[in-house]
Amino acid sequence: MARRGAPARGGNKAAGTDRATGRNKGKGKGAGTGTGDRAQDRRGEREPVARQVGGGLAELIPDRERPHGWTLLIDRAPQSHVDLDDPAHLSFAYQRRLGHVIDLAAPALQPLHVLHLGGGAFTLARYTAATRPRSTQQIVELDAPLVQFVRDHLPLDPQARVRVRSADAREGLGRFPDGWADLVVADVFSGARTPAHLTSAEFLTEVRRVLKPEGRYAANLADGPPLAHLRGQVATAAAVFPELALAADPVVWRGRRFGNAVLLASALPLPVAEFTRRVASDPHPGRVEHGRALTDFTGGAAVVTDAAAKPSPAPPPSVFENP
């Protein structure tokens, strides 16, 4: 899911969005045809490419401001942005916030064990490999045709220690041993909605099992007014993890529009002050809440269990409309 209208200054303007809640401005020739599997035309100019994958029509739209930048869309919903020349560049606001989480997970350059639930264009795995060489990473992505499409057009650095598994996120999570991960990042959307079985306390209990005692969990969540889903997700995480922080745009906090929020959770105290500073200094500043303020935000929302879990709400159609 992506936030509307928040590319970094000088970043991707072809899509002009964050994942699945941004206005798509990409109208490149050949997009959406399902037949354009060439990244360049005969003149050497990059053209959109498209292919049917499990989740719908996947498109790669060239970033006209970055010679090797691409935005991945699925059924016109922005999913990821990648710059093959600069994998440390994060264009979408929610990905920058997840990048801050990666930066603060350990001292600079220290390798990490990272499990990514949801693959997209492997943006955050590329970022981790670039900023923390020798990290060991695993991506669990259900859509095998999407994985192949990304591999074909946006190949991973062969030196990066990244393994991609085609499996359901929760099923794949269950295959990891106790205490394997320094960081688990969840960014899973199906039809622009987080599947129900990835919203429950039982799911988060499995996440905590896979984390090291000092490990952290980060999730890209999406919701709109009245933020009932987001409140429930915070309450559910609080039932499993004693330490939480939540970052979102001020207009999302105020319940004025649909958007993304990044949830950070751990068994041990979080670097809230530095995370807050970084989120506030982004090109599109966000706000971080934690402690009592975050508890008050839940408003007594019930903990979500497998028996009662529902997918996250669908974004309104206007989110994807071109201006």
Side-chain angles (χ1 to χ4, degrees):
M1 274 283 298
R3 192 180 75 74
R4 185 165 89 189
R9 184 68 61 185
N12 172 52
K13 298 291 182 63
T17 66
D18 282 0
R19 183 177 177 185
T21 63
R23 290 187 178 183
N24 169 36
K25 299 179 182 177
K27 298 182 182 178
K29 293 185 297 180
T33 64
T35 60
D37 259 0
R38 292 186 304 121
Q40 293 185 328
D41 66 13
R42 292 179 181 178
R43 298 163 296 176
E45 296 176 355
R46 296 184 303 156
E47 293 291 330
V49 292
R51 186 184 302 175
Q52 286 291 335
V53 298
L57 179 68
E59 299 172 85
L60 286 170
I61 308 298
D63 183 337
R64 301 305 181 189
E65 295 187 2
R66 288 181 167 263
H68 292 91
W70 297 86
T71 298
L72 171 68
L73 292 81
I74 297 181
D75 284 345
R76 307 305 293 170
Q79 304 291 312
S80 304
H81 178 275
V82 169
D83 187 336
L84 296 177
D85 281 348
D86 183 11
H89 171 77
L90 299 176
S91 181
F92 294 172
Y94 90 89
Q95 289 184 330
R96 288 193 296 274
R97 289 164 192 167
L98 289 171
H100 299 326
V101 171
I102 294 166
D103 292 343
L104 296 172
L109 299 179
Q110 179 175 313
L112 297 174
H113 280 68
V114 184
L115 170 57
H116 302 268
L117 302 178
F122 315 153
T123 302
L124 292 169
R126 298 173 199 268
Y127 178 86
T128 303
T131 59
R132 295 183 177 276
R134 302 183 308 282
S135 290
T136 299
Q137 301 186 78
Q138 302 243 6
I139 298 171
V140 179
E141 170 57 57
L142 178 62
D143 195 334
L146 173 62
V147 169
Q148 190 59 53
F149 179 60
V150 172
R151 284 188 181 277
D152 287 346
H153 297 287
L154 306 176
L156 284 163
D157 182 344
Q159 301 302 315
R161 299 172 62 180
V162 180
R163 180 181 177 186
V164 184
R165 300 183 179 187
S166 293
D168 171 78
R170 187 156 167 181
E171 177 187 348
L173 176 68
R175 297 175 184 172
F176 280 79
D178 295 359
W180 182 87
D182 296 293
L183 181 63
V184 174
V185 179
D187 186 14
V188 184
F189 289 85
S190 175
R193 305 177 74 181
T194 301
H197 67 300
L198 304 182
T199 68
S200 68
E202 291 91 337
F203 164 69
L204 290 180
T205 299
E206 270 292 278
V207 169
R208 184 162 179 179
R209 178 190 65 78
V210 171
L211 286 171
K212 297 177 182 179
E214 70 279 12
R216 295 171 186 169
Y217 170 67
N220 177 31
L221 308 175
D223 198 10
L227 301 180
H229 173 73
L230 194 55
R231 297 178 202 277
Q233 288 303 285
V234 173
T236 303
V240 178
F241 294 97
E243 301 290 335
L244 300 178
L246 187 70
D249 284 6
V251 289
V252 174
W253 277 115
R254 292 193 292 268
R256 292 186 176 178
R257 68 159 175 76
F258 201 98
N260 293 75
V262 168
L263 176 67
L264 180 58
S266 179
L268 299 179
L270 297 165
V272 173
E274 181 61 16
F275 184 52
T276 300
R277 185 191 70 78
R278 293 185 182 214
V279 169
S281 60
D282 276 338
H284 293 270
R287 193 176 91 216
V288 175
E289 295 288 3
H290 66 100
R292 178 59 183 272
L294 195 53
T295 300
D296 291 345
F297 167 75
T298 65
V303 173
V304 177
T305 65
D306 278 344
K310 299 178 181 179
S312 65
S318 60
V319 164
F320 305 115
E321 289 177 356
N322 290 314

